[in-house]
Coordinates of all heavy atoms in Angstrom, one line a residue:
M1 N -19.8 -39.0 63.7 CA -19.0 -39.9 62.8 C -18.3 -39.1 61.8 O -17.1 -39.4 61.5 CB -20.0 -40.9 62.2 CG -19.2 -42.0 61.5 SD -19.0 -43.3 62.7 CE -18.8 -44.7 61.7
D2 N -18.9 -38.1 61.2 CA -18.2 -37.3 60.1 C -17.1 -36.5 60.7 O -16.1 -36.3 60.0 CB -19.2 -36.4 59.4 CG -20.2 -37.2 58.6 OD1 -19.8 -38.3 58.0 OD2 -21.4 -36.8 58.4
K3 N -17.3 -36.0 61.9 CA -16.2 -35.2 62.6 C -15.0 -36.1 62.8 O -13.8 -35.6 62.6 CB -16.7 -34.6 63.9 CG -17.7 -33.6 63.7 CD -18.1 -33.0 65.1 CE -19.1 -31.9 64.9 NZ -19.6 -31.3 66.2
E4 N -15.2 -37.3 63.2 CA -14.0 -38.2 63.4 C -13.3 -38.5 62.0 O -12.1 -38.5 62.0 CB -14.5 -39.5 64.0 CG -15.0 -39.4 65.4 CD -15.5 -40.7 65.9 OE1 -15.2 -41.8 65.3 OE2 -16.2 -40.7 66.9
A5 N -14.0 -38.7 61.0 CA -13.4 -38.9 59.7 C -12.7 -37.7 59.2 O -11.6 -37.8 58.6 CB -14.5 -39.4 58.7
S6 N -13.3 -36.5 59.4 CA -12.6 -35.3 58.9 C -11.3 -35.1 59.7 O -10.3 -34.6 59.2 CB -13.5 -34.1 59.0 OG -13.8 -33.8 60.3
T7 N -11.3 -35.4 61.0 CA -10.1 -35.2 61.9 C -9.0 -36.2 61.4 O -7.9 -35.8 61.3 CB -10.5 -35.5 63.3 OG1 -11.6 -34.7 63.7 CG2 -9.3 -35.3 64.2
I8 N -9.4 -37.4 61.1 CA -8.4 -38.3 60.6 C -7.8 -37.9 59.3 O -6.6 -38.0 59.1 CB -9.0 -39.8 60.5 CG1 -9.4 -40.3 61.9 CG2 -8.1 -40.7 59.8 CD1 -10.2 -41.6 61.9
N9 N -8.7 -37.4 58.4 CA -8.2 -36.9 57.1 C -7.3 -35.7 57.2 O -6.3 -35.6 56.5 CB -9.4 -36.5 56.2 CG -10.1 -37.8 55.6 OD1 -9.5 -38.8 55.6 ND2 -11.3 -37.6 55.3
K10 N -7.6 -34.8 58.2 CA -6.7 -33.6 58.4 C -5.4 -34.1 58.9 O -4.3 -33.5 58.5 CB -7.4 -32.6 59.4 CG -8.5 -31.8 58.7 CD -9.1 -30.9 59.7 CE -10.2 -30.1 59.1 NZ -10.8 -29.2 60.1
E11 N -5.4 -35.1 59.8 CA -4.1 -35.5 60.4 C -3.3 -36.2 59.3 O -2.1 -36.0 59.2 CB -4.4 -36.5 61.5 CG -4.9 -35.9 62.8 CD -5.2 -36.9 63.8 OE1 -4.8 -38.1 63.7 OE2 -5.8 -36.5 64.8
K12 N -3.9 -37.0 58.4 CA -3.2 -37.6 57.3 C -2.6 -36.6 56.3 O -1.5 -36.7 55.9 CB -4.1 -38.6 56.6 CG -4.3 -39.9 57.4 CD -5.1 -40.9 56.6 CE -5.3 -42.1 57.4 NZ -6.1 -43.1 56.6
K13 N -3.4 -35.6 56.0 CA -3.0 -34.5 55.1 C -1.8 -33.8 55.7 O -0.9 -33.5 55.0 CB -4.1 -33.5 54.8 CG -5.1 -34.1 53.8 CD -6.1 -33.0 53.5 CE -7.2 -33.5 52.5 NZ -8.2 -32.5 52.2
S14 N -1.9 -33.5 57.0 CA -0.8 -32.8 57.6 C 0.5 -33.6 57.6 O 1.6 -33.1 57.4 CB -1.1 -32.3 59.0 OG -1.3 -33.4 59.9
I15 N 0.4 -34.9 57.8 CA 1.6 -35.8 57.8 C 2.2 -35.8 56.4 O 3.4 -35.6 56.2 CB 1.2 -37.2 58.3 CG1 0.9 -37.2 59.7 CG2 2.4 -38.1 57.9 CD1 0.4 -38.5 60.3
F16 N 1.3 -35.9 55.3 CA 1.8 -35.9 54.0 C 2.4 -34.6 53.6 O 3.4 -34.5 52.9 CB 0.7 -36.3 53.0 CG 0.3 -37.8 53.1 CD1 -1.1 -38.1 53.2 CD2 1.2 -38.7 53.0 CE1 -1.4 -39.4 53.2 CE2 0.9 -40.1 53.1 CZ -0.5 -40.4 53.2
Y17 N 1.7 -33.5 54.1 CA 2.2 -32.2 53.8 C 3.6 -32.0 54.4 O 4.5 -31.5 53.8 CB 1.3 -31.1 54.4 CG 1.6 -29.7 54.1 CD1 1.3 -29.1 52.9 CD2 2.3 -29.0 55.0 CE1 1.6 -27.8 52.6 CE2 2.6 -27.6 54.8 CZ 2.3 -27.1 53.6 OH 2.6 -25.8 53.3
K18 N 3.8 -32.5 55.6 CA 5.1 -32.3 56.3 C 6.2 -33.2 55.6 O 7.3 -32.7 55.4 CB 5.0 -32.8 57.8 CG 4.2 -31.8 58.6 CD 4.1 -32.3 60.0 CE 3.2 -31.3 60.8 NZ 3.0 -31.8 62.2
I19 N 5.8 -34.4 55.2 CA 6.7 -35.2 54.4 C 7.1 -34.5 53.1 O 8.3 -34.5 52.7 CB 6.1 -36.6 54.2 CG1 6.0 -37.4 55.5 CG2 7.0 -37.4 53.2 CD1 5.3 -38.7 55.4
G20 N 6.1 -33.9 52.4 CA 6.4 -33.2 51.2 C 7.4 -32.0 51.4 O 8.3 -31.8 50.6
I21 N 7.2 -31.3 52.5 CA 8.1 -30.2 52.8 C 9.5 -30.7 53.0 O 10.5 -30.1 52.6 CB 7.5 -29.4 54.0 CG1 6.2 -28.7 53.6 CG2 8.6 -28.3 54.4 CD1 6.4 -27.6 52.5
V22 N 9.6 -31.8 53.8 CA 10.9 -32.4 54.1 C 11.6 -32.8 52.8 O 12.8 -32.6 52.6 CB 10.8 -33.5 55.1 CG1 12.1 -34.3 55.1 CG2 10.4 -33.0 56.4
L23 N 10.8 -33.4 51.8 CA 11.4 -33.8 50.6 C 11.9 -32.6 49.8 O 12.9 -32.7 49.1 CB 10.4 -34.6 49.8 CG 10.0 -36.0 50.3 CD1 8.9 -36.7 49.4 CD2 11.3 -36.9 50.3
I24 N 11.2 -31.5 49.8 CA 11.6 -30.4 49.1 C 12.9 -29.8 49.7 O 13.8 -29.4 49.0 CB 10.5 -29.3 49.0 CG1 9.3 -29.8 48.1 CG2 11.0 -28.0 48.5 CD1 8.1 -29.0 48.1
I25 N 13.0 -29.8 51.0 CA 14.2 -29.3 51.7 C 15.4 -30.2 51.4 O 16.5 -29.7 51.1 CB 13.9 -29.2 53.2 CG1 13.0 -28.1 53.5 CG2 15.2 -29.0 53.9 CD1 12.5 -28.0 54.9
I26 N 15.2 -31.5 51.3 CA 16.2 -32.4 51.0 C 16.6 -32.2 49.5 O 17.8 -32.2 49.2 CB 15.8 -33.9 51.1 CG1 15.6 -34.2 52.6 CG2 16.7 -34.9 50.5 CD1 15.0 -35.6 52.9
S27 N 15.7 -31.9 48.7 CA 16.0 -31.5 47.3 C 16.9 -30.3 47.2 O 17.9 -30.3 46.4 CB 14.7 -31.3 46.5 OG 15.0 -30.7 45.3
L28 N 16.6 -29.3 48.0 CA 17.4 -28.1 48.0 C 18.8 -28.4 48.4 O 19.8 -27.9 47.9 CB 16.8 -27.0 48.8 CG 15.5 -26.4 48.3 CD1 15.0 -25.4 49.3 CD2 15.9 -25.6 47.0
L29 N 18.9 -29.2 49.5 CA 20.3 -29.5 50.0 C 21.0 -30.4 49.0 O 22.3 -30.3 48.9 CB 20.2 -30.2 51.3 CG 19.6 -29.4 52.5 CD1 19.4 -30.3 53.7 CD2 20.5 -28.2 52.7
S30 N 20.3 -31.2 48.2 CA 21.0 -32.0 47.2 C 21.6 -31.2 46.1 O 22.5 -31.7 45.4 CB 20.0 -33.0 46.6 OG 19.5 -33.9 47.6
W31 N 21.1 -30.0 45.9 CA 21.7 -29.2 44.8 C 23.1 -28.7 45.2 O 23.8 -28.1 44.4 CB 20.8 -28.0 44.5 CG 19.6 -28.3 43.6 CD1 18.4 -28.7 44.0 CD2 19.7 -28.5 42.2 NE1 17.6 -29.0 42.9 CE2 18.4 -28.9 41.8 CE3 20.7 -28.3 41.3 CZ2 18.1 -29.1 40.4 CZ3 20.4 -28.5 39.9 CH2 19.1 -28.9 39.5
L32 N 23.5 -28.9 46.4 CA 24.9 -28.6 46.8 C 25.9 -29.6 46.3 O 27.1 -29.3 46.3 CB 25.0 -28.5 48.3 CG 24.2 -27.3 49.0 CD1 24.3 -27.4 50.5 CD2 24.7 -26.0 48.5
I33 N 25.4 -30.8 46.0 CA 26.3 -31.9 45.5 C 27.1 -31.5 44.3 O 28.4 -31.6 44.3 CB 25.5 -33.2 45.3 CG1 25.0 -33.7 46.6 CG2 26.4 -34.2 44.6 CD1 24.0 -34.9 46.4
P34 N 26.5 -30.9 43.3 CA 27.3 -30.5 42.1 C 28.3 -29.4 42.4 O 29.3 -29.2 41.7 CB 26.3 -30.0 41.1 CG 25.0 -30.6 41.5 CD 25.1 -30.8 43.0
I35 N 28.1 -28.6 43.4 CA 29.0 -27.6 43.8 C 30.2 -28.1 44.6 O 31.3 -27.6 44.4 CB 28.2 -26.5 44.6 CG1 27.1 -25.9 43.8 CG2 29.2 -25.4 45.1 CD1 26.2 -25.0 44.5
I36 N 30.0 -29.1 45.4 CA 31.0 -29.6 46.3 C 31.9 -30.7 45.6 O 33.1 -30.7 45.8 CB 30.4 -30.1 47.6 CG1 29.7 -29.0 48.4 CG2 31.4 -30.8 48.5 CD1 28.9 -29.5 49.5
V37 N 31.3 -31.5 44.8 CA 32.0 -32.7 44.3 C 33.2 -32.3 43.4 O 34.2 -33.0 43.5 CB 31.0 -33.6 43.5 CG1 31.7 -34.6 42.7 CG2 30.1 -34.3 44.5
P38 N 33.2 -31.3 42.6 CA 34.4 -31.0 41.8 C 35.7 -30.7 42.6 O 36.8 -30.9 42.1 CB 34.0 -29.8 41.0 CG 32.5 -29.8 40.9 CD 32.1 -30.4 42.2
F39 N 35.5 -30.4 43.9 CA 36.7 -30.1 44.7 C 37.2 -31.3 45.5 O 38.0 -31.2 46.4 CB 36.3 -28.9 45.7 CG 35.9 -27.7 45.0 CD1 34.6 -27.3 44.9 CD2 36.9 -26.9 44.3 CE1 34.3 -26.1 44.2 CE2 36.6 -25.8 43.6 CZ 35.3 -25.4 43.6
T40 N 36.6 -32.5 45.3 CA 37.0 -33.7 45.9 C 38.1 -34.4 45.1 O 38.2 -34.2 43.9 CB 35.8 -34.6 46.2 OG1 35.3 -35.0 44.9 CG2 34.8 -34.0 47.0
P41 N 38.9 -35.2 45.8 CA 40.0 -35.9 45.0 C 39.5 -37.2 44.3 O 40.2 -38.2 44.4 CB 41.0 -36.2 46.1 CG 40.2 -36.4 47.3 CD 39.0 -35.4 47.2
L42 N 38.4 -37.2 43.7 CA 37.9 -38.4 43.1 C 38.2 -38.3 41.6 O 38.6 -37.3 41.1 CB 36.3 -38.4 43.2 CG 35.8 -38.4 44.7 CD1 34.3 -38.3 44.7 CD2 36.2 -39.7 45.4
S43 N 38.1 -39.5 40.9 CA 38.4 -39.5 39.5 C 37.3 -38.7 38.7 O 36.2 -38.5 39.2 CB 38.4 -40.9 39.0 OG 37.1 -41.5 39.0
T44 N 37.6 -38.3 37.5 CA 36.7 -37.5 36.7 C 35.4 -38.3 36.4 O 34.3 -37.7 36.5 CB 37.3 -37.0 35.4 OG1 38.6 -36.3 35.8 CG2 36.4 -36.1 34.7
K45 N 35.5 -39.5 36.1 CA 34.3 -40.4 35.8 C 33.4 -40.5 37.0 O 32.2 -40.4 36.9 CB 34.8 -41.7 35.4 CG 35.3 -41.8 34.0 CD 35.6 -43.2 33.6 CE 36.2 -43.3 32.2 NZ 36.5 -44.7 31.8
L46 N 34.0 -40.7 38.2 CA 33.2 -40.8 39.4 C 32.6 -39.5 39.7 O 31.4 -39.5 40.1 CB 34.1 -41.3 40.5 CG 33.4 -41.6 41.9 CD1 32.4 -42.7 41.6 CD2 34.4 -42.1 42.9
K47 N 33.3 -38.4 39.6 CA 32.7 -37.1 39.8 C 31.5 -36.8 38.9 O 30.4 -36.3 39.3 CB 33.7 -35.9 39.6 CG 34.7 -35.8 40.6 CD 35.7 -34.7 40.3 CE 36.9 -34.6 41.2 NZ 37.8 -33.5 40.9
A48 N 31.6 -37.2 37.6 CA 30.5 -37.0 36.7 C 29.3 -37.8 37.1 O 28.2 -37.4 37.0 CB 31.0 -37.3 35.3
G49 N 29.6 -39.0 37.5 CA 28.5 -39.9 37.9 C 27.8 -39.4 39.2 O 26.5 -39.4 39.3
I50 N 28.6 -38.9 40.1 CA 28.0 -38.4 41.4 C 27.2 -37.2 41.1 O 26.1 -37.0 41.6 CB 29.1 -38.2 42.4 CG1 29.7 -39.5 42.9 CG2 28.5 -37.4 43.6 CD1 30.9 -39.4 43.8
I51 N 27.7 -36.3 40.3 CA 27.0 -35.0 40.0 C 25.7 -35.3 39.2 O 24.6 -34.8 39.6 CB 27.9 -34.1 39.2 CG1 29.0 -33.5 40.0 CG2 27.1 -32.9 38.6 CD1 30.1 -32.8 39.3
T52 N 25.7 -36.2 38.2 CA 24.5 -36.6 37.5 C 23.5 -37.2 38.4 O 22.3 -36.9 38.4 CB 24.9 -37.5 36.4 OG1 25.9 -36.9 35.5 CG2 23.7 -37.9 35.5
G53 N 24.0 -38.2 39.2 CA 23.1 -38.8 40.2 C 22.5 -37.9 41.2 O 21.3 -38.0 41.6
G54 N 23.3 -36.9 41.6 CA 22.8 -35.9 42.6 C 21.7 -35.0 42.0 O 20.7 -34.7 42.7
L55 N 21.9 -34.6 40.7 CA 20.9 -33.8 40.1 C 19.6 -34.5 39.9 O 18.5 -34.0 40.1 CB 21.5 -33.3 38.7 CG 22.6 -32.3 38.8 CD1 23.2 -32.0 37.5 CD2 22.2 -31.0 39.5
I56 N 19.7 -35.8 39.5 CA 18.5 -36.6 39.3 C 17.8 -36.8 40.6 O 16.6 -36.7 40.7 CB 18.9 -37.9 38.6 CG1 19.3 -37.7 37.2 CG2 17.7 -38.9 38.6 CD1 19.9 -38.9 36.5
F57 N 18.6 -37.1 41.6 CA 18.0 -37.3 43.0 C 17.3 -36.0 43.4 O 16.2 -36.1 44.0 CB 19.1 -37.7 44.0 CG 18.6 -37.8 45.4 CD1 18.0 -38.9 45.8 CD2 18.9 -36.8 46.3 CE1 17.5 -39.1 47.1 CE2 18.5 -36.9 47.6 CZ 17.8 -38.1 48.0
A58 N 17.9 -34.9 43.2 CA 17.3 -33.6 43.7 C 16.0 -33.4 42.9 O 15.0 -32.9 43.6 CB 18.3 -32.4 43.4
E59 N 15.9 -33.6 41.6 CA 14.7 -33.4 40.9 C 13.6 -34.4 41.4 O 12.4 -34.0 41.5 CB 14.9 -33.6 39.4 CG 15.6 -32.4 38.8 CD 14.7 -31.1 38.8 OE1 13.5 -31.2 38.5 OE2 15.3 -30.1 39.2
V60 N 14.0 -35.6 41.6 CA 13.0 -36.6 42.0 C 12.4 -36.2 43.4 O 11.2 -36.3 43.6 CB 13.6 -38.0 42.0 CG1 12.7 -39.0 42.7 CG2 13.9 -38.5 40.6
M61 N 13.3 -35.8 44.3 CA 12.8 -35.4 45.6 C 11.9 -34.2 45.5 O 10.9 -34.1 46.2 CB 14.0 -35.1 46.5 CG 14.8 -36.3 47.0 SD 13.9 -37.4 48.0 CE 13.7 -38.7 46.9
F62 N 12.3 -33.2 44.7 CA 11.4 -32.0 44.5 C 10.1 -32.4 44.0 O 9.1 -32.0 44.6 CB 12.1 -31.0 43.6 CG 11.2 -29.8 43.5 CD1 11.2 -28.8 44.4 CD2 10.4 -29.6 42.3 CE1 10.3 -27.7 44.3 CE2 9.6 -28.5 42.2 CZ 9.5 -27.6 43.2
W63 N 10.0 -33.1 43.0 CA 8.7 -33.5 42.4 C 7.9 -34.4 43.3 O 6.7 -34.3 43.3 CB 8.8 -34.0 41.0 CG 9.3 -32.9 40.1 CD1 10.5 -32.7 39.5 CD2 8.5 -31.7 39.7 NE1 10.5 -31.6 38.7 CE2 9.3 -30.9 38.9 CE3 7.2 -31.3 40.0 CZ2 8.8 -29.7 38.3 CZ3 6.7 -30.1 39.5 CH2 7.6 -29.3 38.6
G64 N 8.6 -35.3 44.0 CA 7.9 -36.1 45.0 C 7.2 -35.3 46.1 O 6.1 -35.5 46.5
G65 N 8.0 -34.3 46.6 CA 7.5 -33.4 47.6 C 6.4 -32.5 47.0 O 5.4 -32.2 47.7
A66 N 6.5 -32.1 45.7 CA 5.5 -31.3 45.1 C 4.2 -32.0 45.0 O 3.1 -31.4 45.1 CB 6.0 -30.8 43.7
L67 N 4.3 -33.3 44.7 CA 3.0 -34.1 44.7 C 2.3 -34.2 46.0 O 1.1 -34.2 46.1 CB 3.4 -35.5 44.2 CG 3.7 -35.7 42.7 CD1 4.1 -37.1 42.4 CD2 2.4 -35.3 41.9
L68 N 3.1 -34.2 47.1 CA 2.5 -34.3 48.4 C 2.0 -33.0 48.9 O 1.0 -33.0 49.7 CB 3.6 -34.9 49.4 CG 4.0 -36.4 49.1 CD1 5.1 -36.8 50.1 CD2 2.8 -37.3 49.3
V69 N 2.7 -31.9 48.6 CA 2.2 -30.6 49.2 C 1.2 -29.9 48.3 O 0.5 -29.0 48.7 CB 3.4 -29.6 49.5 CG1 4.3 -30.2 50.5 CG2 4.1 -29.3 48.2
G70 N 1.1 -30.3 47.0 CA 0.2 -29.7 46.1 C 0.9 -28.8 45.1 O 2.0 -28.2 45.4
K71 N 0.3 -28.6 44.0 CA 1.0 -27.8 42.9 C 1.1 -26.3 43.2 O 2.0 -25.7 42.8 CB 0.4 -28.1 41.5 CG -1.0 -27.5 41.4 CD -1.5 -27.8 39.9 CE -2.8 -27.2 39.7 NZ -3.3 -27.5 38.4
E72 N 0.1 -25.8 44.0 CA 0.1 -24.4 44.3 C 1.3 -24.1 45.2 O 2.1 -23.1 45.0 CB -1.2 -23.9 45.0 CG -2.4 -24.0 44.1 CD -3.0 -25.4 44.1 OE1 -2.7 -26.2 44.9 OE2 -3.9 -25.6 43.2
V73 N 1.6 -24.9 46.2 CA 2.7 -24.7 47.1 C 4.0 -24.8 46.4 O 4.9 -24.0 46.5 CB 2.6 -25.6 48.3 CG1 3.8 -25.5 49.2 CG2 1.3 -25.4 49.1
A74 N 4.1 -25.8 45.5 CA 5.3 -26.1 44.8 C 5.6 -24.9 43.8 O 6.8 -24.5 43.7 CB 5.2 -27.4 44.0
A75 N 4.6 -24.4 43.1 CA 4.8 -23.3 42.2 C 5.2 -22.1 43.0 O 6.1 -21.3 42.5 CB 3.5 -23.1 41.4
K76 N 4.6 -21.8 44.1 CA 5.0 -20.7 44.9 C 6.5 -20.8 45.4 O 7.3 -19.8 45.4 CB 4.1 -20.5 46.1 CG 4.3 -19.3 46.9 CD 3.2 -19.1 48.0 CE 3.4 -17.9 48.7 NZ 2.4 -17.7 49.8
F77 N 6.9 -22.0 45.8 CA 8.2 -22.3 46.2 C 9.2 -22.1 45.1 O 10.3 -21.5 45.3 CB 8.3 -23.7 46.8 CG 9.6 -23.9 47.5 CD1 9.8 -23.4 48.8 CD2 10.5 -24.7 47.0 CE1 11.0 -23.6 49.5 CE2 11.7 -25.0 47.6 CZ 11.9 -24.4 48.9
K78 N 8.9 -22.6 43.9 CA 9.8 -22.4 42.7 C 9.9 -20.9 42.4 O 10.9 -20.5 41.9 CB 9.2 -23.2 41.6 CG 9.8 -24.6 41.5 CD 9.4 -25.2 40.2 CE 10.7 -25.6 39.5 NZ 10.4 -26.4 38.3
S79 N 8.8 -20.2 42.5 CA 8.9 -18.7 42.2 C 9.9 -18.0 43.2 O 10.5 -17.1 42.8 CB 7.5 -18.1 42.3 OG 7.1 -18.0 43.6
Y80 N 10.0 -18.5 44.4 CA 11.0 -17.9 45.3 C 12.4 -18.2 44.9 O 13.3 -17.4 45.1 CB 10.8 -18.5 46.7 CG 9.5 -18.0 47.5 CD1 8.8 -18.9 48.3 CD2 9.1 -16.7 47.4 CE1 7.7 -18.5 48.9 CE2 7.9 -16.3 48.0 CZ 7.3 -17.2 48.8 OH 6.1 -16.8 49.5
L81 N 12.6 -19.3 44.2 CA 13.9 -19.6 43.7 C 14.3 -19.0 42.4 O 15.5 -19.1 42.0 CB 14.1 -21.2 43.6 CG 13.8 -21.9 44.9 CD1 13.9 -23.4 44.7 CD2 14.9 -21.6 46.0
N82 N 13.4 -18.4 41.7 CA 13.7 -17.8 40.4 C 14.4 -16.4 40.7 O 13.8 -15.5 41.3 CB 12.3 -17.5 39.7 CG 12.6 -17.1 38.3 OD1 13.7 -16.8 37.9 ND2 11.5 -17.1 37.5
P83 N 15.6 -16.2 40.1 CA 16.3 -15.0 40.3 C 15.6 -13.7 39.8 O 15.9 -12.7 40.3 CB 17.6 -15.2 39.5 CG 17.7 -16.7 39.4 CD 16.3 -17.2 39.4
R84 N 14.7 -13.9 38.9 CA 14.0 -12.7 38.4 C 13.1 -12.1 39.5 O 12.8 -10.9 39.5 CB 13.1 -13.1 37.2 CG 13.9 -13.5 36.0 CD 12.9 -13.9 34.9 NE 13.7 -14.4 33.8 CZ 13.1 -15.0 32.7 NH1 11.8 -15.2 32.7 NH2 13.9 -15.5 31.8
N85 N 12.6 -12.9 40.4 CA 11.7 -12.5 41.5 C 12.5 -12.0 42.7 O 11.8 -11.6 43.7 CB 10.8 -13.6 41.9 CG 9.9 -14.0 40.7 OD1 9.6 -13.2 39.8 ND2 9.5 -15.3 40.7
W86 N 13.8 -12.0 42.8 CA 14.5 -11.7 44.0 C 14.5 -10.2 44.2 O 14.6 -9.8 45.4 CB 16.0 -12.2 43.9 CG 16.1 -13.7 44.0 CD1 15.1 -14.5 44.2 CD2 17.3 -14.4 43.7 NE1 15.6 -15.8 44.2 CE2 16.9 -15.8 43.9 CE3 18.6 -14.1 43.4 CZ2 17.9 -16.8 43.8 CZ3 19.5 -15.1 43.3 CH2 19.1 -16.4 43.4
K87 N 14.4 -9.4 43.2 CA 14.5 -7.9 43.4 C 13.1 -7.3 43.8 O 13.0 -6.2 44.1 CB 15.0 -7.2 42.1 CG 16.4 -7.6 41.9 CD 16.9 -6.9 40.6 CE 18.3 -7.3 40.3 NZ 18.9 -6.6 39.1
K88 N 12.1 -8.1 43.7 CA 10.7 -7.6 43.9 C 10.4 -7.5 45.4 O 10.8 -8.2 46.2 CB 9.7 -8.4 43.2 CG 9.8 -8.4 41.7 CD 8.7 -9.2 41.1 CE 8.9 -9.2 39.6 NZ 7.9 -10.0 38.9

């Protein structure tokens, strides 16, 4: 009985882990919005709104993914993105 329960828990954890990784990847892709939007023919107000919304969306996706994968994985991932660690 315990083996069945542990197997079910492992499957659920792996699903949540995969969802968390996908959310973090979506977050990274969302950081392209502020880079691309200024080159579009939209009004300045609309550009400012889209950029702000994109940044907020990216942060929410990252922290949602971080909650699902765990703080150790999220901290390690953030350290990869820190430019100070690129030369090491």
Side-chain angles (χ1 to χ4, degrees):
M1 190 90 156
D2 290 329
K3 289 182 181 180
E4 292 176 16
S6 66
T7 305
I8 292 171
N9 287 337
K10 285 182 182 178
E11 288 177 12
K12 286 184 180 180
K13 284 184 181 179
S14 67
I15 291 171
F16 289 130
Y17 184 83
K18 289 177 184 178
I19 291 171
I21 294 295
V22 168
L23 289 177
I24 290 174
I25 291 170
I26 290 171
S27 166
L28 287 176
L29 295 175
S30 298
W31 279 98
L32 295 175
I33 292 171
I35 296 170
I36 296 170
V37 169
F39 300 106
T40 60
L42 302 171
S43 70
T44 306
K45 287 183 180 180
L46 188 57
K47 286 180 186 180
I50 291 172
I51 290 171
T52 304
L55 293 173
I56 291 170
F57 177 77
E59 283 295 315
V60 169
M61 289 294 109
F62 178 80
W63 289 110
L67 286 174
L68 292 175
V69 298
K71 68 178 183 179
E72 293 85 13
V73 175
K76 187 174 183 180
F77 191 74
K78 269 189 121 172
S79 72
Y80 289 141
L81 299 177
N82 189 351
R84 293 179 188 168
N85 298 332
W86 290 352
K87 294 181 182 180
K88 295 180 182 178

